[in-house]
Amino acid sequence: MRKDKVDMKAFLILEDGTVFEGVSIGSSREVVSEIVFNTSMTGYLEVLTDPSYAGQAVVMTYPLIGNYGITPDMESFGPWPDGYIVRELSRMPSNFRSEGRIQDFLVEHDIPGIAGIDTRALTRILRDKGTMNGMITTNEKYNLNEVIPLLRAYTTGNVVEKATCREKKVLEGKGKKVALLDFGAKNNIARSLQKRGCKVVIYPASTKAEEIIAEQPDGIMLSNGPGDPQECTAIIEELKKLYATDIPIFAICLGHQLMALANGARTHKMKYGHRGGNHPVKDLKTGRVYISSQNHGYVVDTETLDPDVARPAFINVNDKTNEGLEYIGKNIFTVQFHPEACPGPQDSAYLFDRFIEMMGGEK
């Protein structure tokens, strides 16, 4: 078993010059990334394996992480964050499903991290000043004058291209045929469709609309994914073609933003985003509030939305930002939150049933 680097110092340097000192966990390589925080109390492995974190380093606000080890609850084939930041990392996980420790998992996948810092203080900085870039390093002789320009120059880039699948995959089912456009999809989206009997055909993000339409799916699913939606210009052009069809469409997170952009709306970056399993969203039609799982740093500006094209369907109870759209005269609805959860509450899983009904199936 690998020996812990208990004496190896690590530093988290933020672009405003703030420095946190802790202990190195995982890989000891140096990394620059966008620093974001997640408020989930459980589900750290699902967070680590969510492709929407590509290009980011994740701060876990819950103070003890890793106590049930590495379990089979992965949302993709491996971890996606550039770095991992925790208050305390369990050294002896205890769970009958545990297959190892997070420390070794991070080493195996060459992901650097830092433990032993005040994550509450760090989160307050990110909430007060907004999401910012940072560096995780074990170099005790770092030079702030050299590091800060590097941090300010960092961008996530085209991370959808990194997170999407490389080739088409088919998951068999005897029900409706769903084309799942993978922008960095979590596994539970396909599982949620298969649970309802669907045959799921997963397509890479670069797939042309004509190919999807030619295969005559009963419905189209647009997945979650990482990065700035406005950078996905080629995908947006293909979504315009899918919108023009009569095929029912259901979109989650990044897919929700991209469909809005394809119809002339705009998006903007939030101050610190929504990431966690406790975000209340309100259904504007029924008035009912659901607790949702979320992971996004961008939001649709409903003021820029043509009211003849779509209308708001959900809003965030806390900050009133848009959480969903219903398209007028179309079998299309989109949500910013994650009805498939993993991790998080299953309150809004009924939206998959709604999608099945839109395709002419039974829930």
Side-chain angles (χ1 to χ4, degrees):
M1 181 178 289
R2 171 184 166 271
K3 183 180 178 181
D4 290 316
K5 301 173 295 183
V6 292
D7 297 322
M8 182 177 288
K9 291 182 180 179
F11 304 89
L12 172 64
I13 306 170
L14 300 180
E15 64 179 276
D16 70 347
T18 303
V19 178
F20 290 88
E21 180 180 329
V23 174
S24 174
I25 58 174
S27 169
S28 57
R29 71 179 176 88
E30 190 170 270
V31 67
V32 173
S33 191
E34 182 180 59
I35 312 298
V36 300
F37 63 88
N38 185 294
T39 58
S40 297
M41 297 175 71
T42 63
Y44 55 77
L45 186 62
E46 291 94 325
V47 170
L48 271 170
T49 55
D50 181 349
S52 292
Y53 283 112
Q56 298 174 326
V58 182
V59 182
M60 300 301 293
T61 61
Y62 192 72
L64 176 62
I65 298 296
N67 54 310
Y68 53 86
I70 298 296
T71 59
D73 306 310
M74 295 173 66
E75 280 301 301
S76 64
F77 60 84
W80 289 93
D82 291 334
Y84 203 52
I85 303 162
V86 301
R87 175 67 183 93
E88 182 179 352
L89 195 62
S90 173
R91 298 188 181 278
M92 296 179 63
S94 178
N95 186 285
F96 73 99
R97 299 168 71 236
S98 178
E99 299 173 351
R101 308 183 308 162
I102 283 189
Q103 298 91 317
D104 303 322
F105 184 72
L106 296 175
V107 169
E108 178 186 352
H109 294 279
D110 197 28
I111 295 177
I114 182 170
I117 69 169
D118 187 342
T119 50
R120 288 193 177 192
L122 172 57
T123 301
R124 286 183 66 107
I125 290 171
L126 297 177
R127 283 180 59 91
D128 292 343
K129 297 185 178 181
T131 297
M132 64 181 80
N133 297 334
M135 172 186 285
I136 298 173
T137 181
T138 57
N139 179 12
E140 297 185 38
K141 298 180 179 180
Y142 62 84
N143 185 323
L144 275 181
N145 293 328
E146 295 176 356
V147 170
I148 289 177
L150 293 175
L151 304 185
R152 291 177 177 168
Y154 173 81
T155 61
T156 58
N158 186 0
V159 278
V160 169
E161 185 177 293
K162 175 183 177 182
T164 187
C165 60
R166 296 293 169 254
E167 56 186 24
K168 184 171 75 173
K169 296 181 286 189
V170 179
L171 306 177
E172 293 297 340
K174 296 181 179 179
K176 295 298 182 180
K177 179 181 177 182
V178 177
L180 171 56
L181 204 47
D182 176 13
F183 305 135
K186 291 165 62 186
N187 287 341
N188 206 40
I189 293 178
R191 283 197 300 261
S192 297
L193 293 169
Q194 281 192 296
K195 181 181 177 181
R196 291 160 174 82
C198 294
K199 175 180 179 179
V200 184
V201 184
I202 305 173
Y203 296 87
S206 59
T207 304
K208 297 296 182 183
E210 291 82 2
E211 179 182 343
I212 295 173
I213 296 167
E215 297 194 12
Q216 299 182 313
D218 296 302
I220 298 171
M221 183 92 222
L222 308 180
S223 85
N224 64 293
D228 183 347
Q230 294 186 69
E231 293 189 359
C232 303
T233 53
I235 295 172
I236 291 167
E237 291 304 310
E238 299 306 313
L239 294 190
K240 291 178 181 179
K241 302 172 190 176
L242 296 178
Y243 172 84
T245 71
D246 292 324
I247 304 171
I249 299 175
F250 178 26
I252 292 172
C253 200
L254 180 63
H256 154 79
Q257 297 164 6
L258 294 176
M259 181 56 73
L261 288 168
N263 283 279
R266 296 177 185 172
T267 58
H268 71 263
K269 189 171 185 178
M270 305 174 75
K271 185 175 181 181
Y272 49 82
H274 298 151
R275 298 175 180 89
N278 56 352
H279 293 267
V281 297
K282 183 177 181 179
D283 185 330
L284 295 177
K285 186 175 292 185
T286 66
R288 183 173 178 177
V289 173
Y290 299 89
I291 302 302
S292 69
S293 173
Q294 302 205 11
N295 175 14
H296 64 104
Y298 293 83
V299 68
V300 174
D301 293 319
T302 51
E303 297 81 8
T304 66
L305 193 69
D306 185 340
D308 294 326
V309 172
R311 56 175 167 260
F314 290 87
I315 61 167
N316 188 286
V317 174
N318 292 333
D319 61 15
K320 311 306 179 188
T321 54
N322 179 255
E323 293 282 0
L325 296 171
E326 187 169 348
Y327 285 79
I328 298 167
K330 291 282 187 179
N331 274 331
I332 301 175
F333 75 100
T334 68
V335 293
Q336 181 62 76
F337 51 95
H338 288 263
E340 84 289 352
C342 278
Q346 302 286 329
D347 295 30
S348 56
Y350 75 93
L351 293 174
F352 286 98
D353 297 324
R354 177 180 169 185
F355 182 44
I356 300 299
E357 291 180 317
M358 285 170 55
M359 294 186 287
E362 297 182 359
K363 65 180 181 178

